[in-house]
């Protein structure tokens, strides 16, 4: 094979820069991910040193992403210019493909990277002239990729303070199609749901969850991230029940952990709103993969709406489960399949909880209406307003309520509902007993109906009862009107 | 290619110390919450030295033509390295235009008012626009007007080199001052002659710049308090001057007033020379003027703006 043969050409750059991340925010996440890896590496090597936040600053025409991580050595920063080259390990780092930085080519005119490695009195700078690269690839057809990269990526170095350790990236001269990245609120929302940031201290379960994640996820790390000087935290809903935790084993007969999950259930009725922040979010190295929709699609085969009765995270620990480049899904491989299968128990568990919660809520609602109906009849009985014609119907009504409660008591219940139900059943029993013994309004006796009139009246009531069998409330209204009218006219 | 942050002389450090004194003298109560606007350098010397006084620094950087981004990038990097990344807000473009538009060339806002406006020009003040106007002086006037719109007391710090001093403009102004002094019965003729014939521009600018600021201030209902004018050698032995003026807004009346600072005060204050970082007061062998007559004519001290 001739040595001069070239196997990669300029149009690859365009495909990479435009095709890889249609959502430009993923490009920003790539750089945040690099900062995170650098900080994680710094912590591994200097566990006693305090980590400083990742800083993101957005101000037209640039975005800056900077960290006081380990920094890059001369070799590493030189390699930074290479496409698809990375020394990072899949198991240890969030990013590992070495293509993320080049995804920014169509986004900015220049990618300027300054770095100073920890412990070295040196600083290095790489300037990737993205505008020139793209123009080169477009104007000079079939130009070898290597030439384009080499000509348009500068490297320089200078002495520096030995105490400095940082990587500072400027994406300068944002393109018009990347203007959405200047929307700070939108970027804040995106990073909040995606980046490996801590929980909001206002979230009352934050400490407990953070503690559990530290205990159960090796090398778990959440790093402070500032966007234009304001901290970013993971999103949460305050109307939630206490968190629950689940460890997903790789196989039932093995102790290898495939994923670790936490979730909080909605303390109110139904799904969380907005749904974009609800559901369980997969995370690899504490960086989100997709959003709540991904877990819904992967795990909720039935009753998918119940996925959004919860919010939480599934931290994937199986190193073979690989996020796609844009981290919207996982690459399809056996590990992913295994993860999906193993995590099905999470969804079935949550479905059961959501079902129980719904049943419990309906039970409470049924108890509310039972109390209301019983109180109403008790009041009428006390005031002697119950027509004799409705005696059986009313007793039947109360008995039906009693039966319904007893039936629901066989389903999901908590202590509060159980006690309340028992009290209401007792009350209904007493009411039935009282109804049996109580005096009812006897219209025929009151108005002194003769036997023939009484027979006629009983016949009318019987017909009405049959007619309004499906609508006892209407029957009651009609009977009461008959009482009123008869008293007015016949007295 | 990597840029290096500008290095500063001991003299410049001494200037910053004096500027800080002026800020503290007038704005001490707002310490920690002050807002700065102006020309820092990519090394952020003043920002670092005054960090504790300020809540935010709006730093304007134009950069070098054709590669503007280099110095702007360096400024942001320096801010990050110094732990000031979130305090420093970079505004890109020519400061005169930023002041005029209250925005930088990318639409980022310069939210007037500020407590300190520091115009540390690396060049001279007498740059003429194609229209013939003195662009920088006009921008200073506009900055004062923006501040007045919000009735903000503030400290104006001006530094410039003595390049291209417009002798005609300076002499014309000093002749105007002579006329005023004569009109108010002040025996200032010989004093003005001494200033005009002095071999150094510093002598004349000592009067010219504060006089100009006083005039613009009065138009906007400000009164001025000028601290002793500083001169020193900057980088590459460039002769430099630095002015520190506190502008107090007077909201008691809508009517414009004459400047309250007396001309004799400007003449009689010594200059501060900074040499090898040491500060020396000097009159540069310039005479003082008797201030009694001027005081007597207090109400007519200056022409009405």
């Amino acid at each position: 094979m001739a040595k001069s043969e070239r196997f990669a050409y300029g149009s690859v750059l365009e495909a990479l820069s435009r095709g890889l991340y249609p959502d430009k925010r993923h490009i920003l996440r790539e750089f945040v991910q690099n900062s995170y890896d650098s900080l994680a590496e710094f912590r591994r090597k200097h566990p006693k040193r305090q980590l400083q936040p990742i800083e993101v600053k957005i101000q037209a025409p640039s975005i800056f992403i900077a960290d006081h991580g380990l920094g890059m050595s001369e070799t590493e920063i030189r390699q930074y210019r290479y496409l698809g080259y990375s020394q990072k390990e899949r198991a240890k780092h969030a990013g590992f493909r070495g293509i993320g930085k080049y995804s920014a080519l169509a986004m900015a005119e220049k990618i300027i990277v300054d770095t100073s490695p920890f412990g070295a009195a040196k600083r290095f700078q790489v300037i990737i002239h993205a505008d020139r690269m793209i123009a080169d690839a477009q104007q000079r057809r079939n130009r070898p990729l290597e030439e384009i990269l080499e000509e348009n990526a500068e490297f320089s170095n200078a002495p520096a303070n030995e105490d400095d350790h940082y990587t500072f990236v400027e994406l300068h001269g944002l393109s018009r199609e990347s203007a959405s990245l200047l929307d700070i609120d939108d970027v804040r929302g995106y990073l909040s749901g995606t980046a490996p940031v801590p929980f909001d201290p206002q979230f009352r379960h934050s400490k407990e969850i953070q503690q559990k994640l530290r205990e159960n996820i090796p090398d778990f790390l959440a790093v402070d991230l500032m966007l234009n000087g304001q901290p970013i935290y993971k999103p949460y809903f305050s109307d939630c029940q206490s968190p629950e935790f689940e460890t997903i084993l790789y196989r039932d007969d093995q102790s290898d952990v495939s994923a670790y999950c936490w979730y909080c259930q909605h303390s109110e009725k139904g799904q969380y709103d907005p749904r974009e922040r609800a559901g369980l979010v997969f995370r690899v190295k504490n960086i989100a993969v997709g959003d709540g929709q991904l877990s819904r699609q992967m795990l909720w085969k039935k009753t998918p709406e119940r996925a959004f009765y919860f919010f939480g995270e599934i931290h994937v620990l199986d190193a073979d489960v690989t996020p796609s480049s844009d981290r919207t899904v996982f690459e399809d491989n056996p590990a992913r399949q295994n993860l999906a299968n193993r995590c099905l128990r999470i969804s079935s568990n949550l479905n059961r909880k959501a079902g129980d919660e719904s049943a419990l809520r309906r039970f409470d609602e049924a108890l509310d209406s039972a109390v209301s109906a019983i109180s109403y009849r008790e009041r009428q009985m006390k005031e002697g307003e119950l027509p004799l014609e409705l005696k059986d119907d009313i007793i039947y009504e109360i008995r039906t309520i009693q039966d319904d409660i007893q039936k629901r008591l066989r389903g999901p219940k908590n202590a509060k509902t159980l006690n309340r139900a028992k009290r209401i059943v007792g009350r209904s029993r007493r009411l039935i007993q009282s109804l049996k013994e109580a005096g009812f309004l006897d219209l025929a006796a009151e108005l002194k109906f003769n036997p023939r009139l009484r027979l006629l009246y009983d016949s009318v009531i019987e017909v009405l009862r049959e007619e309004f069998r499906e609508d006892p409330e209407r029957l009651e209204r009609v009977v009461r009107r008959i009482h009123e009218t008869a008293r007015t006219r016949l007295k | 290619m990597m840029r290096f942050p500008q290095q500063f002389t001991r003299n410049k450090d001494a200037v910053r110390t004096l500027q800080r004194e002026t800020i503290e003298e007038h704005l001490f109560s707002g310490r920690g919450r002050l807002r700065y606007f102006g020309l820092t350098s990519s090394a952020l010397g003043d920002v670092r030295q005054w960090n504790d006084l300020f809540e935010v620094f709006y730093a304007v950087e134009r950069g070098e033509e054709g590669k503007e981004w280099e110095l702007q990038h360096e400024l942001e990097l320096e801010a990050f390295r110094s732990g000031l990344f979130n305090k420093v807000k970079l505004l890109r473009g020519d400061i005169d235009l930023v002041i005029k538009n209250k925005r930088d060339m990318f639409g980022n806002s310069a939210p007037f008012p500020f407590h300190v406006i520091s115009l540390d020009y690396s060049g001279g003040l007498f740059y003429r626009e194609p229209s013939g106007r003195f662009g920088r002086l006009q921008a200073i006037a506009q900055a004062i007007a923006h501040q007045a719109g919000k009735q903000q007391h503030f400290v104006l710090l001006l530094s410039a080199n003595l390049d291209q001093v417009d002798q005609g403009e300076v002499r014309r102004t000093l002749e105007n001052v002579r006329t005023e002094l004569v009109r108010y019965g002040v025996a200032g003729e010989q004093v003005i002659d001494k200033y005009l014939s002095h071999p150094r521009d510093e002598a004349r600018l000592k009067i010219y710049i504060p006089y100009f600021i006083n005039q613009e201030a009065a138009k906007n209902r400000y009164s001025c308090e000028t601290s002793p004018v500083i001169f020193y050698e900057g980088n590459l032995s460039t002769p430099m001057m630095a002015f520190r003026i506190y502008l107090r807004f007077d909201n008691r009346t809508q009517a414009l007033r004459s400047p309250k600072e007396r001309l004799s005060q400007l003449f009689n204050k010594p200059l501060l020379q900074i040499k090898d970082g040491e500060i020396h007061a000097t009159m540069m062998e310039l005479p003082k003027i008797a201030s009694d007559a001027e005081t007597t004519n207090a109400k007519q001290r200056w022409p009405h703006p």
Side-chain angles (χ1 to χ4, degrees), chain B residues 155-173:
Chain B
V155 170
L156 176 65
L157 304 172
L158 269 179
S159 305
N161 69 25
L162 302 185
D163 273 359
Q164 297 175 316
V165 172
D166 190 312
Q167 301 296 343
E169 162 71 9
V170 173
R171 281 172 188 277
R172 259 193 308 280
T173 304

Side-chain angles (χ1 to χ4, degrees), chain B residues 64-305:
Chain B
E64 289 174 15
E65 199 173 344
K67 42 186 180 178
E68 290 81 358
W69 54 273
E70 280 190 356
L71 280 174
Q72 293 163 351
H73 174 83
E74 199 59 41
L75 186 146
E76 288 279 16
L77 173 61
E78 200 58 27
F80 174 70
R81 287 185 57 247
S82 314
L84 296 163
F85 198 46
N86 293 313
K87 260 193 178 183
V88 173
K89 315 277 182 204
L90 170 65
L91 297 173
R92 299 173 195 245
D94 183 83
I95 188 148
D96 299 345
L97 288 175
V98 173
I99 290 172
K100 183 181 169 194
N101 302 325
K102 295 195 213 171
R103 291 192 174 280
D104 76 356
M105 59 190 295
F106 294 98
N108 299 303
S109 170
F112 281 86
F114 298 94
H115 298 97
V116 172
I117 294 183
S118 174
L119 303 175
D120 191 357
Y121 293 114
S122 53
L125 284 169
F126 292 90
Y127 155 74
R128 273 190 196 272
E129 288 178 343
S131 65
R133 297 190 326 164
F134 293 113
R136 285 203 170 138
L137 296 177
Q138 287 300 317
I140 294 167
Q142 267 176 331
I144 295 171
H146 292 331
Q147 293 285 100
K150 305 281 185 179
Q151 306 193 355
Q152 176 72 55
H153 311 317
F154 70 106
V155 170
L156 176 65
L157 304 172
L158 269 179
S159 305
N161 69 25
L162 302 185
D163 273 359
Q164 297 175 316
V165 172
D166 190 312
Q167 301 296 343
E169 162 71 9
V170 173
R171 281 172 188 277
R172 259 193 308 280
T173 304
L174 283 179
E175 289 299 346
N176 289 343
V177 173
R178 184 205 303 269
T179 310
E180 281 165 37
L181 290 173
V182 170
R183 189 187 303 158
Y184 306 140
V186 179
E189 288 264 13
Q190 287 179 345
V191 176
I192 293 288
D193 285 342
K194 284 280 186 189
Y195 272 81
L196 286 172
S197 61
H198 199 281
R200 297 187 66 160
D201 283 328
E202 286 89 336
R204 286 174 288 282
L205 290 179
K206 170 197 165 186
I207 302 301
Y208 176 86
I209 294 296
Y211 179 82
F212 168 77
I213 300 295
N214 261 283
Q215 293 292 314
E216 293 303 321
K219 285 181 201 169
N220 291 283
R221 297 163 64 200
Y222 276 110
S223 58
C224 294
E225 201 174 309
T226 306
S227 301
V229 175
I230 303 163
F231 69 104
Y232 62 101
E233 275 190 359
N235 274 330
L236 306 170
S237 303
T238 312
M240 301 285 298
M241 290 190 80
F243 303 87
R244 298 165 290 154
I245 304 169
Y246 176 59
L247 289 89
R248 173 182 290 281
F249 188 81
D250 186 350
N251 57 6
R252 287 173 299 176
T253 171
Q254 288 296 320
L256 299 180
R257 293 178 170 196
S258 307
K260 287 187 176 166
E261 192 162 46
R262 283 179 291 156
L263 279 169
S264 58
Q265 286 178 305
L266 297 183
F267 276 98
N268 293 347
K269 261 183 203 160
L271 288 112
L272 299 179
Q273 182 178 21
I274 302 177
K275 218 171 181 179
D276 301 325
E278 300 292 324
I279 302 164
H280 310 278
T282 172
M283 281 301 291
M284 294 177 78
E285 298 177 1
L286 289 162
K288 291 186 177 181
I289 58 173
S291 58
D292 294 353
E294 204 192 0
T295 311
T296 313
N297 296 303
K299 288 185 181 168
Q300 306 166 38
R301 284 177 305 219
W302 296 64
H304 203 283

Side-chain angles (χ1 to χ4, degrees), chain A residues 39-244:
Chain A
L39 284 166
E41 201 64 36
F42 184 76
R43 192 186 68 160
R44 269 192 282 274
K45 295 193 172 165
H46 308 281
K48 289 187 178 167
R49 288 203 175 227
Q50 178 82 24
L51 290 185
Q52 292 182 55
I54 297 173
E55 300 274 7
V56 176
K57 191 192 266 191
I58 297 177
Q59 193 179 1
S62 294
I63 295 181
F64 300 88
I65 307 100
D67 65 79
H68 287 286
L70 205 55
M72 284 183 264
S73 66
E74 179 164 355
T75 309
E76 287 167 329
I77 185 75
R78 282 181 181 280
Q79 289 165 349
Y80 190 87
R81 298 169 302 162
Y82 305 167
L83 171 62
Y85 181 92
S86 177
Q87 293 276 40
K88 291 182 182 178
E89 296 167 40
R90 186 173 294 203
K92 272 167 81 178
H93 301 99
F96 52 86
R97 291 186 175 91
I99 56 173
K101 68 238 172 195
Y102 278 104
S103 63
L105 286 187
M107 182 177 146
E109 290 168 14
K110 298 185 193 317
I111 305 165
I112 311 164
V113 185
D114 292 86
T115 191
S116 182
F118 182 83
K122 280 261 181 186
R123 56 182 276 222
F124 308 103
Q125 186 179 64
V126 158
I127 304 172
I128 296 171
H129 295 278
D131 49 351
R132 293 186 345 211
M133 279 188 187
I134 295 290
D136 223 348
Q138 285 172 343
Q139 287 160 15
R140 298 166 70 179
R141 209 160 161 250
N142 293 335
R143 188 144 189 247
L145 183 60
E146 180 128 355
E147 285 176 18
I148 297 176
L149 298 180
E150 201 170 339
E151 276 178 24
N152 296 302
E154 290 176 38
F155 169 82
S156 58
N157 63 61
N161 189 335
E162 196 175 311
D163 294 336
D164 277 356
H165 57 101
Y166 61 83
T167 300
F168 183 85
V169 179
E170 179 179 1
L171 306 175
H172 175 79
L174 292 182
S175 64
R176 194 171 296 172
E177 58 201 68
S178 305
S180 61
L181 285 176
L182 296 174
D183 182 341
I184 292 170
D185 289 337
D186 182 60
V187 171
R188 175 174 295 283
Y190 171 78
L191 289 177
S192 166
T194 312
V197 291
F199 292 100
D200 192 326
Q202 302 286 321
F203 177 36
R204 66 182 190 279
H205 303 301
S206 63
K207 277 187 186 162
E208 182 188 356
I209 297 171
Q210 193 92 355
Q211 181 62 28
K212 285 276 192 182
L213 293 177
R214 276 201 208 100
E215 286 167 9
N216 290 282
I217 300 173
D219 291 334
F220 175 80
L221 178 64
V223 294
D224 291 329
L225 193 160
M226 310 288 278
L227 172 60
N228 284 22
Q230 297 297 316
I232 291 187
Y233 298 116
K234 283 180 180 172
Y236 72 98
F237 293 93
S238 51
D239 50 348
C240 67
Q241 298 175 17
S242 295
E244 294 186 48

Side-chain angles (χ1 to χ4, degrees), chain A residues 469-482:
Chain A
R469 189 186 305 278
E470 302 301 322
D471 193 351
E473 284 178 21
R474 194 165 176 203
L475 172 67
E476 187 168 343
R477 276 202 307 278
V478 169
V479 170
R480 288 185 184 282
R481 280 190 66 188
I482 291 171

